[in-house]
Amino acid sequence: GAVVSQHPSWVICKSGTSVKIECRSLDFQATTMFWYRQFPKQSLMLMATSNEGSKATYEQGVEKDKFLINHASLTLSTLTVTSAHPEDSSFYICSAGEGARGEETQYFGPGTRLLVL
Amino acid sequence: TQLLEQSPQFLSIQEGENLTVYCNSSSVFSSLQWYRQEPGEGPVLLVTVVTGGEVKKLKRLTFQFGDARKDSSLHITAAQPGDTGLYLCAGASGSARQLTFGSGTQLTVLP
């Protein structure tokens, strides 16, 4: 299957700093990527839809100024957690779809563990 | 808002036992995917079911999509410790790329 990578896999930062997470589709192009947040032993919560060349679409309750998304190319989307605080500590996962529209399969990255001290 | 309810939420069984995980919704999905996720990793796709009534088998795992495409089940035969993980169902609607995820089932298979 298709491969999606994320970088970094782990990040520890001080409260108030910004953290950038990259999501790449390695062997296919993705006009749309998705960003999720996951708490321990819980399911994935969709944060936003990243659209190549246009603004991201955020889910209700997700602050767009807090979680900046940039999808500048067909293989790269970035999520920047601005002025991170301890409550932002979580597991962040991205996905990208491969296949014809309506028949896509979503492939997930390995996730990024963020710990804000 | 589309919701997918998964049950049970937690399941702990002995090696060799069989189990079934259910995924139910009041909404119709064009396809439904099952994923398995291990701690600290992203979900890994197990199967996609598209046709109502479809049954797919993957070794000891049997997946079924309901006739009305509103529900699905995952049956594991003779569970092994390596089957331990978080099982997630996710539904897609129409041409939308966005997935609706179930609440997840945390399976632990004890040796």
Side-chain angles (χ1 to χ4, degrees), chain B residues 1-46:
Chain B
T1 303
Q2 294 178 311
L3 293 175
L4 266 172
E5 295 183 357
Q6 250 181 273
S7 62
Q9 187 177 358
F10 297 96
L11 188 56
S12 181
I13 60 172
Q14 292 293 136
E15 182 177 3
E17 292 183 355
N18 302 331
L19 67 112
T20 303
V21 177
Y22 299 93
C23 184
N24 296 295
S25 176
S26 57
S27 302
V28 175
F29 293 99
S30 57
S31 67
L32 197 136
Q33 300 178 1
W34 283 92
Y35 295 84
R36 185 166 79 96
Q37 184 183 24
E38 298 194 26
E41 299 180 10
V44 175
L45 180 67
L46 296 174

Coordinates of all heavy atoms in Angstrom, one line a residue, chain B residues 1-46:
Chain B
T1 N -24.8 15.1 11.7 CA -23.5 14.5 12.0 C -23.6 13.0 12.0 O -24.5 12.4 12.6 CB -23.0 14.9 13.4 OG1 -23.0 16.3 13.4 CG2 -21.7 14.3 13.7
Q2 N -22.7 12.3 11.3 CA -22.7 10.9 11.2 C -21.9 10.3 12.4 O -20.8 10.8 12.7 CB -22.1 10.4 9.9 CG -22.9 10.8 8.7 CD -22.2 10.3 7.4 OE1 -21.0 10.6 7.3 NE2 -22.9 9.7 6.6
L3 N -22.5 9.3 13.0 CA -21.8 8.7 14.2 C -21.7 7.2 13.9 O -22.5 6.5 13.3 CB -22.6 8.9 15.4 CG -22.7 10.3 16.0 CD1 -23.6 10.4 17.2 CD2 -21.3 10.9 16.3
L4 N -20.5 6.6 14.3 CA -20.3 5.2 14.3 C -20.1 4.7 15.7 O -19.1 5.1 16.3 CB -19.1 4.9 13.4 CG -19.3 4.6 12.0 CD1 -18.0 4.5 11.2 CD2 -20.1 3.3 11.8
E5 N -20.9 3.8 16.2 CA -20.7 3.3 17.5 C -20.1 1.9 17.4 O -20.5 1.1 16.7 CB -22.1 3.2 18.2 CG -22.7 4.5 18.4 CD -24.1 4.4 19.2 OE1 -24.5 3.3 19.5 OE2 -24.7 5.4 19.5
Q6 N -19.0 1.8 18.2 CA -18.3 0.5 18.2 C -18.5 -0.2 19.6 O -18.5 0.5 20.6 CB -16.8 0.7 18.0 CG -16.3 0.3 16.7 CD -14.8 0.5 16.6 OE1 -14.3 1.5 16.1 NE2 -14.0 -0.5 16.9
S7 N -18.7 -1.5 19.5 CA -18.8 -2.2 20.8 C -18.1 -3.6 20.6 O -18.1 -4.2 19.5 CB -20.3 -2.4 21.1 OG -20.9 -3.1 20.1
P8 N -17.6 -4.1 21.7 CA -17.4 -3.5 23.0 C -16.2 -2.4 22.9 O -15.5 -2.4 21.9 CB -17.0 -4.6 23.9 CG -16.3 -5.6 23.0 CD -17.0 -5.5 21.7
Q9 N -16.2 -1.6 23.9 CA -15.1 -0.6 23.9 C -13.8 -1.3 24.4 O -12.7 -0.9 23.9 CB -15.5 0.5 24.9 CG -14.5 1.7 24.9 CD -14.9 2.8 25.8 OE1 -16.0 2.7 26.5 NE2 -14.1 3.8 25.9
F10 N -13.9 -2.2 25.3 CA -12.7 -2.9 25.8 C -13.0 -4.4 25.8 O -14.2 -4.8 26.1 CB -12.3 -2.5 27.2 CG -11.9 -1.1 27.3 CD1 -12.8 -0.1 27.7 CD2 -10.6 -0.7 27.0 CE1 -12.4 1.2 27.8 CE2 -10.2 0.6 27.2 CZ -11.1 1.6 27.6
L11 N -12.0 -5.2 25.4 CA -12.2 -6.7 25.4 C -10.9 -7.4 25.7 O -9.9 -7.1 25.1 CB -12.7 -7.1 24.0 CG -13.1 -8.5 23.7 CD1 -14.2 -8.9 24.7 CD2 -13.6 -8.7 22.3
S12 N -11.0 -8.2 26.7 CA -9.8 -9.0 27.2 C -10.2 -10.4 27.2 O -11.1 -10.9 27.8 CB -9.4 -8.5 28.6 OG -8.2 -9.2 29.0
I13 N -9.5 -11.2 26.3 CA -9.8 -12.6 26.2 C -8.5 -13.5 26.3 O -7.4 -12.9 26.2 CB -10.5 -12.9 24.9 CG1 -9.6 -12.5 23.7 CG2 -11.8 -12.2 24.8 CD1 -10.1 -12.9 22.3
Q14 N -8.7 -14.8 26.4 CA -7.6 -15.7 26.4 C -7.2 -16.1 25.0 O -8.1 -16.2 24.1 CB -7.9 -16.9 27.2 CG -8.1 -16.7 28.7 CD -6.8 -16.3 29.4 OE1 -6.7 -15.4 30.2 NE2 -5.7 -17.0 29.0
E15 N -6.0 -16.4 24.8 CA -5.5 -16.9 23.5 C -6.4 -18.1 23.1 O -6.7 -19.0 23.9 CB -4.1 -17.3 23.6 CG -3.4 -17.8 22.3 CD -2.0 -18.1 22.5 OE1 -1.4 -18.0 23.6 OE2 -1.3 -18.5 21.5
G16 N -6.8 -18.2 21.8 CA -7.6 -19.3 21.3 C -9.1 -19.0 21.3 O -9.8 -19.7 20.6
E17 N -9.5 -18.0 22.0 CA -10.9 -17.7 22.0 C -11.3 -16.9 20.7 O -10.5 -16.3 20.0 CB -11.3 -16.9 23.2 CG -11.2 -17.6 24.5 CD -11.6 -16.8 25.7 OE1 -11.9 -15.6 25.5 OE2 -11.7 -17.4 26.8
N18 N -12.6 -16.9 20.4 CA -13.1 -16.1 19.3 C -13.8 -14.9 19.8 O -14.2 -14.8 21.0 CB -14.2 -16.9 18.5 CG -13.7 -18.3 18.0 OD1 -12.5 -18.4 17.7 ND2 -14.5 -19.2 17.9
L19 N -13.9 -13.9 18.9 CA -14.5 -12.6 19.4 C -15.1 -11.9 18.2 O -14.7 -12.1 17.0 CB -13.4 -11.7 20.0 CG -12.4 -11.2 19.1 CD1 -12.5 -9.7 18.9 CD2 -11.0 -11.5 19.6
T20 N -16.0 -11.0 18.5 CA -16.6 -10.2 17.4 C -16.7 -8.8 17.9 O -17.1 -8.5 19.0 CB -18.1 -10.7 17.1 OG1 -18.0 -12.1 16.6 CG2 -18.7 -9.9 15.9
V21 N -16.4 -7.9 17.0 CA -16.5 -6.4 17.3 C -17.5 -5.9 16.3 O -17.5 -6.2 15.1 CB -15.1 -5.7 17.1 CG1 -15.2 -4.2 17.2 CG2 -14.0 -6.3 18.0
Y22 N -18.3 -5.0 16.9 CA -19.4 -4.4 16.1 C -19.3 -2.9 15.8 O -18.8 -2.2 16.7 CB -20.8 -4.7 16.8 CG -21.1 -6.2 17.0 CD1 -20.7 -6.8 18.2 CD2 -21.7 -6.9 16.0 CE1 -21.0 -8.2 18.3 CE2 -21.9 -8.3 16.1 CZ -21.6 -8.9 17.3 OH -21.8 -10.2 17.5
C23 N -19.7 -2.5 14.7 CA -19.7 -1.1 14.3 C -21.0 -0.8 13.7 O -21.5 -1.3 12.7 CB -18.6 -1.0 13.3 SG -18.2 0.7 12.7
N24 N -21.8 0.1 14.4 CA -23.1 0.4 14.0 C -23.4 1.9 13.8 O -22.8 2.7 14.5 CB -24.1 -0.1 15.1 CG -24.1 -1.6 15.2 OD1 -24.4 -2.3 14.3 ND2 -23.6 -2.1 16.3
S25 N -24.3 2.2 12.9 CA -24.6 3.6 12.6 C -26.0 3.7 12.1 O -26.6 2.7 11.6 CB -23.7 4.2 11.6 OG -24.0 5.5 11.2
S26 N -26.6 4.8 12.2 CA -27.9 5.1 11.6 C -27.8 5.7 10.2 O -28.8 5.8 9.4 CB -28.8 6.0 12.4 OG -28.1 7.3 12.6
S27 N -26.5 5.9 9.8 CA -26.2 6.5 8.5 C -25.7 5.4 7.5 O -25.2 4.4 7.9 CB -25.2 7.6 8.6 OG -25.6 8.6 9.5
V28 N -25.9 5.7 6.3 CA -25.5 4.8 5.2 C -24.1 5.2 4.8 O -23.9 6.4 4.6 CB -26.4 4.8 4.0 CG1 -25.9 3.9 2.9 CG2 -27.8 4.3 4.4
F29 N -23.2 4.3 4.6 CA -21.8 4.6 4.2 C -21.6 4.0 2.8 O -22.1 2.9 2.5 CB -20.8 4.1 5.2 CG -20.9 4.9 6.5 CD1 -21.5 4.3 7.6 CD2 -20.3 6.1 6.6 CE1 -21.6 5.0 8.8 CE2 -20.3 6.8 7.8 CZ -21.0 6.3 8.9
S30 N -20.8 4.6 2.0 CA -20.5 4.1 0.7 C -19.4 3.0 0.8 O -19.3 2.1 0.0 CB -20.0 5.2 -0.3 OG -18.9 5.9 0.3
S31 N -18.6 3.1 1.8 CA -17.6 2.1 2.1 C -17.3 2.2 3.6 O -17.5 3.2 4.3 CB -16.3 2.3 1.3 OG -15.7 3.5 1.7
L32 N -16.7 1.1 4.1 CA -16.3 1.1 5.5 C -14.9 0.4 5.6 O -14.7 -0.6 4.9 CB -17.3 0.3 6.3 CG -17.2 0.6 7.8 CD1 -18.6 0.8 8.4 CD2 -16.5 -0.5 8.5
Q33 N -14.1 1.0 6.4 CA -12.7 0.5 6.5 C -12.5 0.0 8.0 O -13.0 0.6 8.9 CB -11.7 1.5 6.1 CG -11.9 2.0 4.7 CD -10.9 3.0 4.3 OE1 -10.1 3.5 5.0 NE2 -11.0 3.5 3.0
W34 N -11.7 -1.0 8.1 CA -11.3 -1.4 9.4 C -9.8 -1.3 9.5 O -9.0 -1.6 8.6 CB -11.6 -2.9 9.7 CG -13.1 -3.2 10.0 CD1 -14.1 -3.4 9.1 CD2 -13.7 -3.1 11.3 NE1 -15.3 -3.6 9.8 CE2 -15.0 -3.4 11.1 CE3 -13.2 -2.9 12.6 CZ2 -16.0 -3.5 12.2 CZ3 -14.1 -3.0 13.6 CH2 -15.5 -3.3 13.4
Y35 N -9.4 -0.7 10.7 CA -7.9 -0.5 10.9 C -7.6 -1.1 12.3 O -8.4 -1.3 13.1 CB -7.6 1.0 11.1 CG -7.8 1.8 9.8 CD1 -9.1 2.3 9.5 CD2 -6.8 2.1 9.0 CE1 -9.3 3.1 8.3 CE2 -7.0 2.9 7.8 CZ -8.2 3.4 7.5 OH -8.4 4.1 6.4
R36 N -6.3 -1.5 12.4 CA -5.7 -1.9 13.7 C -4.6 -0.9 14.0 O -3.7 -0.6 13.1 CB -5.2 -3.3 13.6 CG -4.7 -3.8 15.0 CD -4.6 -5.3 14.9 NE -3.3 -5.7 14.3 CZ -2.2 -6.0 14.9 NH1 -2.2 -5.9 16.3 NH2 -1.1 -6.3 14.3
Q37 N -4.5 -0.5 15.2 CA -3.5 0.4 15.6 C -2.8 -0.1 16.9 O -3.5 -0.5 17.8 CB -4.1 1.8 15.9 CG -3.1 2.9 16.3 CD -3.8 4.2 16.6 OE1 -4.9 4.2 17.0 NE2 -3.0 5.3 16.5
E38 N -1.5 0.0 16.9 CA -0.7 -0.4 18.0 C -0.2 0.9 18.7 O -0.1 1.9 18.1 CB 0.4 -1.3 17.6 CG -0.1 -2.6 17.0 CD 1.0 -3.7 16.9 OE1 2.0 -3.6 17.7 OE2 0.9 -4.5 16.0
P39 N 0.1 0.8 20.0 CA 0.5 2.0 20.7 C 1.7 2.7 20.1 O 2.7 2.1 19.7 CB 1.0 1.4 22.1 CG 0.2 0.2 22.2 CD 0.1 -0.4 20.9
G40 N 1.5 4.0 19.9 CA 2.6 4.8 19.4 C 2.8 4.8 17.9 O 3.7 5.3 17.3
E41 N 1.8 4.1 17.2 CA 1.9 4.0 15.8 C 0.6 4.5 15.1 O -0.5 4.6 15.8 CB 2.1 2.6 15.3 CG 3.5 2.0 15.9 CD 3.7 0.6 15.4 OE1 3.0 0.1 14.6 OE2 4.7 0.0 16.0
G42 N 0.6 4.8 13.8 CA -0.6 5.1 13.1 C -1.5 3.9 12.8 O -1.0 2.8 12.9
P43 N -2.8 4.1 12.5 CA -3.6 3.0 12.2 C -3.2 2.3 10.9 O -2.8 3.0 9.9 CB -5.0 3.7 12.0 CG -4.9 5.0 12.7 CD -3.5 5.4 12.6
V44 N -3.3 1.0 10.8 CA -2.9 0.3 9.6 C -4.2 -0.3 9.0 O -5.0 -1.0 9.8 CB -1.9 -0.8 9.9 CG1 -1.7 -1.7 8.7 CG2 -0.6 -0.2 10.4
L45 N -4.4 -0.1 7.8 CA -5.6 -0.6 7.1 C -5.6 -2.1 7.0 O -4.7 -2.7 6.6 CB -5.7 0.0 5.7 CG -6.9 -0.5 4.9 CD1 -8.2 0.1 5.5 CD2 -6.8 0.0 3.4
L46 N -6.8 -2.7 7.5 CA -6.9 -4.1 7.4 C -7.8 -4.5 6.1 O -7.4 -5.4 5.4 CB -7.7 -4.7 8.6 CG -6.9 -4.5 10.0 CD1 -7.8 -5.0 11.1 CD2 -5.6 -5.3 10.0

